[in-house]
Amino acid sequence: MGILEKIAEIEREIARTQKNKATEYHLGLLKAKLAKYRAQLLEPTKSAGAKGEGFDVMKSGDARVALIGFPSVGKSTFLSLMTSTASEAASYEFTTLTCIPGVIEYKGANIQLLDLPGIIEGAAQELLEKELETVGIRLNCSKPNIYFKPKKGGGLSYNSTVPLTHCSEKLVQLILHEYKIFNAEVLFREDSTPDEFIDVIVGNRVYMPCLYVYNKVDQISIEEVNRLAHRPNSVVISCGMKLNLDYLLESLWEYLALICIYTKKRGERPDFNDAIIMRRGASVEHVCHRIHRTLAGQFKYALVWGTSTKYSPQRVGLTHIMEHEDVIQIVKK
C-alpha cells in the first residue's frame, strides 16, 4: 500500500470514528500517523527521475502577499488592476499556469503581490484551507505555546501550567512513540489540542495571517454581501466595478503589520518623502540596522517624535519600540 492509500485509509478511519473519551487515544494516534505520512509525501524523492515543473520568484519590496484561490475567481484581474503587471485573465479555468509577480505601492511601501495558479487541478472539489493545512500552513493562528525538547535519556518529563481538556500524559506519550521519541521534556502553557502538539513535534509548520477576499459581489444580493462582509478576516470587493478596493488595501496593510518610520537630520526638517518600512514591534535597533549595518555599533542615543513617546522629542535607547509615522533622529558616538 502506497503513502497516498495509507493517508486515504487513515482519513476514512478518522471520519467514521466518534469523538469521545473512549476514542481520544485512538484518534490522537491516527492523527500522528496522518501527519507523519503527509510529511513523507512532501519530502523530495531520492530517485534521479525528471523533476516536475515549478516556479521560484525572487523576493522584492517590503512585504509579500500571495493570491491563492480557485480558478477563475479574479486573481489575475486583481493583479492587473492593482499593479502595472499584466496577468492573463479569461472566463475559463487555469488561465494562469505559473507564478506572476507584481508590486503595489501603498503608503510608501512596496508590497509584492504573487498571482499563483489554481492550487490543484481539482481545486473546485477541494477546500482551500484543507489544502494549505495539508502542506503545513496554518492560517490566522499563532504557534502553540508548548515547550518541547527531545532528550537522550530519562524518559518523558510531562507538565502543564494550565488545566488540559484535550491532551493527557498518556496521549502525549502515544503520539511521541509514533515518532520514535521516548525521551523528551513537554510543557503545555495553554490548553492545546493533539493536532497542535503534533505540529510542535514536526516543527516545520508556517503560521501566517490570511485575508479572505470575496470578489464579484456585484453579482449577488445585498443580503449575501452583508453576510460575507461580517465574516471574520473577510473583505468583499468587485474588480469589475472597482468596489471596496481601497478598504482591501488598508486591510492588507493592517494584516501585514507594517509601519512607516521617518528620519530626521539634526537641524533639518523630517524627510516625509522617503519612509523606512518596518514591521509592527520594531525597535530603534531594527531601524539602525535598516539604515546601515554598522549604525547600531556607533549608536549613542536617538530622539523620537510620535505616538510611541510620552513627550516629543524623547531621548530613547536601542530597545525603544517604534510606532507608525514616528520620526527618529539618531545621534552617533
Side-chain angles (χ1 to χ4, degrees):
M1 184 184 292
I3 293 179
L4 286 173
E5 289 79 9
K6 290 178 180 178
I7 290 175
E9 178 59 35
I10 293 174
E11 287 177 337
R12 286 193 294 269
E13 177 69 17
I14 291 175
R16 62 173 175 256
T17 302
Q18 285 189 331
K19 294 182 180 179
N20 53 51
K21 278 286 182 181
T23 61
E24 64 179 8
Y25 299 123
H26 179 60
L27 283 172
L29 199 57
L30 288 175
K31 289 176 179 179
K33 289 182 178 180
L34 183 62
K36 190 170 68 173
Y37 286 137
R38 282 175 174 170
Q40 291 176 10
L41 193 64
L42 295 174
E43 289 175 358
T45 56
K46 296 180 181 179
S47 60
K51 294 183 179 179
E53 184 179 351
F55 47 78
D56 186 19
V57 180
M58 182 177 293
K59 184 176 180 180
S60 68
D62 302 294
R64 300 180 101 180
V65 175
L67 302 178
I68 299 177
F70 298 144
S72 300
V73 295
K75 300 189 300 296
S76 299
T77 304
F78 177 74
L79 180 75
S80 301
L81 194 63
M82 304 306 293
T83 72
S84 58
T85 304
S87 181
E88 185 181 353
S91 58
Y92 54 85
E93 295 186 351
F94 303 106
T95 311
T96 303
L97 300 176
T98 188
C99 180
I100 301 174
V103 175
I104 299 175
E105 295 182 6
Y106 186 68
K107 291 186 178 181
N110 291 324
I111 302 172
Q112 188 180 40
L113 201 62
L114 303 178
D115 178 17
L116 302 180
I119 285 188
I120 54 172
E121 197 161 328
Q125 288 78 42
E126 300 288 338
L127 294 173
L128 298 181
E129 286 183 352
K130 184 178 179 182
E131 289 299 310
L132 294 172
E133 186 176 331
T134 299
V135 296
I137 297 175
R138 303 292 181 259
L139 303 177
N140 293 328
C141 60
S142 55
K143 185 177 180 180
N145 194 358
I146 303 173
Y147 174 77
F148 169 70
K149 182 180 180 181
K151 300 186 299 183
K152 293 183 178 180
L156 173 63
S157 173
Y158 168 88
N159 212 332
S160 65
T161 59
V162 295
L164 300 181
T165 60
H166 305 290
C167 289
S168 65
E169 184 173 1
K170 180 181 177 182
L171 180 56
V172 167
Q173 197 168 36
L174 283 173
I175 293 172
L176 289 173
H177 286 183
E178 182 62 33
Y179 284 89
K180 302 294 187 291
I181 299 173
F182 303 98
N183 306 286
E185 289 182 31
V186 178
L187 173 62
F188 283 78
R189 297 192 180 100
E190 63 183 13
D191 189 15
S192 302
T193 64
D195 293 297
E196 291 172 328
F197 178 57
I198 291 168
D199 285 348
V200 172
I201 296 173
V202 176
N204 62 355
R205 305 310 192 211
V206 178
Y207 301 86
M208 58 179 57
C210 174
L211 192 61
Y212 300 92
V213 181
Y214 298 91
N215 187 27
K216 305 180 183 179
V217 295
D218 54 300
Q219 301 176 13
I220 59 177
S221 66
I222 190 66
E223 291 80 13
E224 185 68 8
V225 171
N226 186 59
R227 185 184 68 83
L228 293 173
H230 283 85
R231 284 186 170 184
N233 311 305
S234 299
V235 175
V236 294
I237 65 167
S238 171
C239 289
M241 299 187 69
K242 300 182 180 179
L243 297 176
N244 216 27
L245 298 178
D246 290 342
Y247 179 68
L248 174 57
L249 285 178
E250 182 62 34
S251 299
L252 279 178
W253 178 272
E254 289 299 319
Y255 273 67
L256 291 170
L258 298 176
I259 60 173
C260 294
I261 307 295
Y262 301 105
T263 58
K264 177 187 178 303
K265 293 182 180 179
R266 186 176 182 179
E268 298 182 12
R269 296 179 63 83
D271 184 6
F272 291 116
N273 296 319
D274 188 15
I276 299 175
I277 307 300
M278 306 292 294
R279 296 282 181 170
R280 195 180 300 137
S283 66
V284 171
E285 186 174 7
H286 293 130
V287 176
C288 290
H289 285 303
R290 177 63 67 88
I291 295 172
H292 196 277
R293 64 180 184 274
T294 63
L295 186 56
Q298 302 170 338
F299 179 88
K300 186 176 181 181
Y301 66 89
L303 297 175
V304 175
W305 293 256
T307 57
S308 69
T309 61
K310 296 178 181 178
Y311 45 87
S312 294
Q314 180 178 333
R315 180 168 169 165
V316 300
L318 286 172
T319 58
H320 178 78
I321 302 300
M322 305 293 290
E323 291 186 3
H324 184 49
E325 295 185 337
D326 275 357
V327 175
I328 184 171
Q329 176 184 322
I330 296 174
V331 179
K332 297 191 289 185
K333 296 175 182 176

